[in-house]
Amino acid sequence: MTHMHVAGSIHADATSPAPQWLKRPEDVNALTRQLWSEHAGRDAQGRLAIAGLTAQEIVEQAGSPVYVIDEADFRGRARRWKEAFGDWQVFYAGKSFLCTTVARWIAEEGLGLDVCTGGELAVALRGGMDPARIGLHGNNKSEDELRAALQAGVGRIIVDSSHEIGLLERLCAELGTVARVMIRVTTGVEAHTHEYIATAHEDQKFGFSINGGAALVALVRSAHSPHLNLVGVHSHIGSQIFDTNGFEVAARRTLKLIAQFKEATGTELSELDLGGGFGISYIKEDTPATPEDLAAGLRAIVEHECRGFGLSVPLMSVEPGRAICGPAGTAIYTVGTVKTVELGGGQSRRYISVDGGMSDNIRPALYAAEYSAAMANRTSAAEPVLSRVVGKHCEGGDILVRDEFLPGDLTAGDLIAVPASGAYSRSMASNYNHVPRPPVVAVSDGRLTTLLRRETLDDLLALDAGA
Ligand SMILES: *Cc1c(COP(=O)(O)O)cnc(C)c1O
């Protein structure tokens, strides 16, 4: 998931600690369109507004910090992915961000939904998602999770290990049911931002290796099981991917496997899922492909490979998560301490501390992920100053935005907005330092709806058995 810029540690010039890719903006108030949700922009007074509410109004209604989802943007993106992929199925990867309302939006927009734990399954079902449109993932599904999925009647279980095949067979026999399964395979493609590395050795925890032959063995075993209805093969190559090269190799290797399976058993598998991982813009330099271009590219690849292997094109599916919820979300924080630290050699860095941090967005600490930011409550005529936005936690690595130019007069009480914050932030949030997790609100046509309320100290203390 790492998106590290190669030039990240190289400085533009000797007097600036800014990374080379980050240019001093001509107008520090300008918002780069591609980073922000569709209905976010500065109003006539220069204040950031999202779907008719200013950042200040959102904070007055929901407190700070707060995660804001532009509902029409989220729904529009979901719809666009579904329409772009036509007769391919699109499953929203719930792990990127899921609550019951989001499950309902996904259901209403006609997508499927992927979950990877019993917790995500429970939220999806509570949100009214049709179980037949739910897929269950996970490399270590528990017996309880598999039983819950079978009892709910989920549309597909993506099987990750031979242990799981045995477990599923026993549970299906017990419940008198047959599980619809796909086999998760590793293709040896590890996709990064702009390149892929085809590793000979698939050194990671997910799925069955194609290279070692484990994938074919799992397919044959599942096909022969009276308890399993084997429908196809599943591959997921990584995240924050910007081109189709990695998918091309993955499609070739999975279809070759399907051809080998056909040779071994005489049966052609009917479904292939190429996973998710489609990249979004966190900073200006990120230039993701459109869903339409991705769909056309992937379709051409799959059709070409199927012709080559003499297979008919299976029922295809993809699983975008970040690409749907990421750009729709904005985090809003309130500025507290502002400090300028001398770095020696005439260089300095301004640290801006805000009222959240690594407990609500662990991605910068976990993957050195980059973000951008803007002052949200006003514009400024002051000079842009290279800044680092940091949280309130007791860790040096508690960084939210490593490098960004922000107005020189930014001060305590100002609001900072971080765009592209809808994916893998609140969903990965923790209670580190006993900081209550922030709420998630949806905004639409000037109205705010709470999706997840703010955690309170009472919520935290309620778990403490000694209290
Ligand atoms: C995480 C994951 C996805 C979604 O990845 P994004 O980067 O959010 O698109 C899709 N499929 C599987 C199996 C995953 O593990």
Side-chain angles (χ1 to χ4, degrees):
M1 305 257 298
T2 305
H3 182 193
M4 286 218 279
H5 286 262
V6 181
S9 60
I10 300 168
H11 302 149
D13 61 64
T15 59
S16 168
Q20 209 162 39
W21 57 265
L22 183 65
K23 301 286 179 283
R24 174 177 292 270
E26 280 176 21
D27 175 5
V28 74
N29 304 305
L31 302 181
T32 303
R33 187 63 259 160
Q34 101 219 30
L35 297 175
W36 296 85
S37 72
E38 193 182 344
H39 307 96
R42 293 208 183 268
D43 68 6
Q45 285 84 53
R47 304 169 299 191
L48 176 75
I50 307 174
L53 287 172
T54 65
Q56 192 73 53
E57 287 169 329
I58 292 168
V59 165
E60 277 158 17
Q61 291 185 39
S64 171
V66 55
Y67 280 86
V68 186
I69 298 183
D70 181 338
E71 177 179 344
D73 178 287
F74 183 109
R75 283 179 179 268
R77 254 172 240 281
R79 212 174 303 135
R80 185 169 169 191
W81 274 84
K82 181 171 165 51
E83 279 165 14
F85 277 84
D87 59 354
W88 290 30
Q89 289 181 297
V90 179
F91 286 77
Y92 171 67
K95 73 177 199 259
S96 57
F97 177 66
L98 188 65
C99 59
T100 55
T101 308
V102 162
R104 177 168 59 77
W105 292 347
I106 289 297
E108 286 170 0
E109 299 302 338
L111 284 73
L113 178 58
D114 272 348
V115 298
C116 48
T117 62
E120 289 179 3
L121 176 62
V123 173
L125 293 173
R126 181 71 65 84
M129 190 72 201
D130 174 3
R133 282 159 59 195
I134 295 177
L136 177 67
H137 278 277
N139 68 299
N140 188 25
K141 304 175 190 77
S142 71
E143 193 170 321
D144 284 349
E145 288 172 323
L146 287 171
R147 186 179 286 112
L150 290 168
Q151 282 172 336
V154 301
R156 58 191 209 180
I157 295 175
I158 293 84
V159 173
D160 206 279
S161 67
S162 21
H163 168 74
E164 187 182 339
I165 296 179
L167 203 51
L168 262 181
E169 289 187 302
R170 181 161 62 69
L171 287 170
C172 285
E174 189 186 295
L175 298 169
T177 187
V178 171
R180 248 184 127 259
V181 300
M182 298 180 93
I183 297 295
R184 166 83 178 253
V185 302
T186 49
T187 55
V189 181
E190 188 196 336
H192 292 290
T193 328
H194 292 290
E195 91 277 19
Y196 60 88
I197 302 161
T199 49
H201 210 75
E202 294 124 342
D203 197 0
Q204 47 101 355
K205 69 175 183 174
F206 292 107
F208 296 88
S209 157
I210 293 183
N211 265 340
L216 187 58
V217 170
L219 286 172
V220 172
R221 176 178 171 194
S222 304
H224 288 141
S225 171
H227 303 293
L228 306 181
N229 171 16
L230 173 69
V231 295
V233 171
H234 186 288
S235 151
H236 172 72
I237 57 173
S239 267
Q240 190 58 1
I241 302 163
F242 284 90
D243 59 32
T244 52
N245 295 345
F247 290 102
E248 181 164 4
V249 180
R252 185 175 312 132
R253 292 183 186 169
T254 47
L255 286 162
K256 183 175 175 196
L257 173 68
I258 289 173
Q260 285 167 343
F261 176 80
K262 185 180 175 185
E263 220 174 87
T265 64
T267 316
E268 199 165 316
L269 293 169
S270 59
E271 295 190 28
L272 174 61
D273 190 306
L274 290 177
F278 310 101
I280 64 167
S281 284
Y282 287 102
I283 56 173
K284 272 186 203 166
E285 280 59 35
D286 296 333
T287 49
T290 63
E292 291 77 16
D293 287 349
L294 283 167
L298 293 182
R299 188 179 292 277
I301 288 166
V302 167
E303 284 169 4
H304 176 79
E305 296 298 336
C306 282
R307 266 196 306 278
F309 290 113
L311 297 169
S312 38
V313 176
L315 173 61
M316 297 295 304
S317 49
V318 288
E319 305 173 319
R322 178 195 319 271
I324 291 174
C325 66
T330 305
I332 301 175
Y333 301 97
T334 303
V335 173
T337 308
V338 178
K339 249 182 225 177
T340 298
V341 177
E342 298 305 328
L343 303 176
Q347 296 190 10
S348 63
R349 189 189 311 283
R350 187 172 62 160
Y351 279 87
I352 296 168
S353 296
V354 297
D355 51 355
M358 64 191 291
S359 60
D360 64 83
N361 188 354
I362 191 70
R363 294 188 65 257
L366 194 57
Y367 319 119
E370 316 262 17
Y371 282 91
S372 45
M375 185 162 70
N377 52 310
R378 62 187 174 95
T379 53
S380 166
E383 275 295 301
V385 172
L386 182 71
S387 307
R388 179 162 291 172
V389 181
V390 296
K392 61 184 280 125
H393 294 277
C394 301
E395 295 281 336
D398 174 25
I399 292 167
L400 286 169
V401 185
R402 186 171 295 273
D403 298 290
E404 179 62 290
F405 282 97
L406 288 165
D409 62 349
L410 191 101
T411 188
D414 279 327
L415 299 178
I416 285 182
V418 177
S421 291
Y424 303 106
S425 42
R426 181 58 181 77
S427 65
M428 283 188 165
S430 75
N431 289 121
Y432 181 46
N433 289 143
H434 287 314
V435 171
R437 288 174 294 180
V440 181
V441 300
V443 289
S444 176
D445 294 329
R447 273 182 308 103
L448 180 147
T449 318
T450 301
L451 304 187
L452 291 177
R453 71 161 168 81
R454 183 181 305 282
E455 225 166 19
T456 63
L457 294 182
D458 283 342
D459 289 327
L460 297 182
L461 283 166
L463 298 175
D464 189 324

